[in-house]
Amino acid sequence: MNLRTLLEPLYFRILRSSISKTPNHIAIIQDGNRRYAKEMGQKTGFGHRQGANTTEMMLEWAREFGIKHITLYAFSTENFRRNEEELGELFELFKDRFLKVLTDERVHKNKIRVRMVGDKSLLPADVLACVEKAEEATKEYSNHYLNVAIAYGGRNEIVHAARRIITQVRDGTLSPDRITPAMVEANLYGGLGLPPVDLIIRTGNEYRTSNFLPWLANGNESSVYFCAPYWPQFRKIDLLRAIRVYDQRKRSGSKPSCP
């Protein structure tokens, strides 16, 4: 056991005690699954499965810290371009984890509502069926919200919202001069009513937000935390460091430098 391992619990306690403000809504870009698998000498599917396990742990940490809304960037519209083998592995993983919601005691004990954010028309029918079962099983819950962005693209989402509004104008049910930012927001994300994003986290040493929730994140000037670990390596202390970035910004009124 090295010195860092010995000191980390103390550092964690000091770090946590220094935080007074916790974000309501965190959006996470879970990057690095494939690179992690490659470095471990494993196939891509191994990285995705390990990443899914990290997601489950992270949800427990977030609940412990009092975070009400979590939105995960699991699969973008561009990801459909990946090879058939990887797509098959990902779709099987999605089905497994959405069906797990039905029997996961933590979901029902903590009343976590699970929802998909994205273009459902792009999903294979068997994957969509599993998604809808999870949504139906948790639709009455409101203590916590887990939003999983699948077949999602920020620009695509805004285009869909524009089409909905244009349809209302053409039908005569909406006057153009009544279009407001609030109305646009109401037509985003399938009408789920997601709150503004307070903090974006991206793992894997990538320094971009990849068109993720542009209206709710960029429009809200959310805090951003980039970190080096691949998503399967993400730890509780990494989440706490991200929350510290948000806390520092809220208290100072300006964006702090990354730790």
Side-chain angles (χ1 to χ4, degrees):
M1 184 177 292
N2 57 36
L3 182 61
R4 179 178 179 178
T5 303
L6 290 171
L7 292 177
E8 193 165 281
L10 175 61
Y11 171 61
F12 181 89
R13 290 195 296 271
I14 293 173
L15 183 60
R16 186 167 187 182
S17 66
S18 70
I19 294 172
S20 60
K21 298 181 184 296
T22 303
N24 178 57
H25 186 184
I26 290 181
I28 303 177
I29 303 172
Q30 307 160 288
D31 199 5
N33 289 345
R34 296 196 293 175
R35 284 176 286 161
Y36 174 77
K38 184 176 181 179
E39 289 191 7
M40 297 295 291
Q42 300 285 340
K43 292 185 177 181
T44 302
F46 172 81
H48 292 312
R49 289 190 297 274
Q50 293 300 111
N53 293 336
T54 297
T55 297
E56 291 194 11
M57 292 188 294
M58 183 279 303
L59 294 175
E60 286 294 300
W61 306 333
R63 185 181 59 81
E64 179 185 328
F65 294 149
I67 298 165
K68 190 175 181 70
H69 297 263
I70 295 284
T71 301
L72 305 175
Y73 205 174
F75 189 86
S76 72
T77 49
E78 290 77 15
N79 289 154
F80 281 104
R81 301 171 188 165
R82 295 183 178 181
N83 64 64
E84 290 187 9
E85 181 181 356
E86 184 176 359
L87 288 176
E89 292 173 336
L90 282 167
F91 291 150
E92 286 301 316
L93 185 58
F94 291 151
K95 288 193 293 182
D96 175 70
R97 297 307 162 113
F98 275 106
L99 289 179
K100 188 175 180 180
V101 167
L102 306 181
T103 56
D104 192 322
E105 293 182 358
R106 296 168 298 181
V107 171
H108 304 289
K109 176 183 177 181
N110 298 304
K111 298 190 180 302
I112 302 171
R113 186 171 181 181
V114 177
R115 305 181 294 185
M116 174 186 158
V117 178
D119 190 344
K120 290 184 175 181
S121 69
L122 297 178
L123 290 184
D126 55 341
V127 178
L128 180 58
C130 296
V131 169
E132 292 180 337
K133 286 179 181 179
E135 290 181 327
E136 178 67 22
T138 62
K139 67 179 182 180
E140 301 298 330
Y141 297 159
S142 59
N143 285 1
H144 299 275
Y145 293 84
L146 171 60
N147 310 300
V148 186
I150 301 177
Y152 175 82
R155 287 181 294 182
N156 187 50
E157 187 66 44
I158 292 174
V159 168
H160 278 278
R163 287 172 179 167
R164 295 184 191 104
I165 293 172
I166 289 171
T167 298
Q168 295 176 57
V169 172
R170 285 178 175 173
D171 291 345
T173 58
L174 175 64
S175 173
D177 58 10
R178 290 181 54 205
I179 299 173
T180 63
M183 181 174 294
V184 174
E185 191 166 308
N187 281 276
L188 291 169
Y189 318 110
L192 295 179
L194 303 185
V197 174
D198 300 306
L199 172 65
I200 290 182
I201 299 171
R202 181 165 190 159
T203 59
N205 212 28
E206 290 284 351
Y207 294 84
R208 52 197 173 91
T209 56
S210 293
N211 195 29
F212 189 32
L213 304 177
W215 186 281
L216 294 179
N218 297 338
N220 192 48
E221 295 186 349
S222 61
S223 300
V224 181
Y225 180 77
F226 300 112
C227 58
Y230 300 137
W231 180 245
Q233 299 170 313
F234 192 76
R235 301 171 301 161
K236 191 175 185 179
I237 200 165
D238 295 315
L239 177 59
L240 199 57
R241 284 171 175 156
I243 294 172
R244 178 177 62 179
V245 168
Y246 168 81
D247 175 73
Q248 290 176 339
R249 180 175 183 180
K250 293 296 289 185
R251 285 192 288 171
S252 68
S254 61
K255 186 174 180 179
S257 58
C258 291

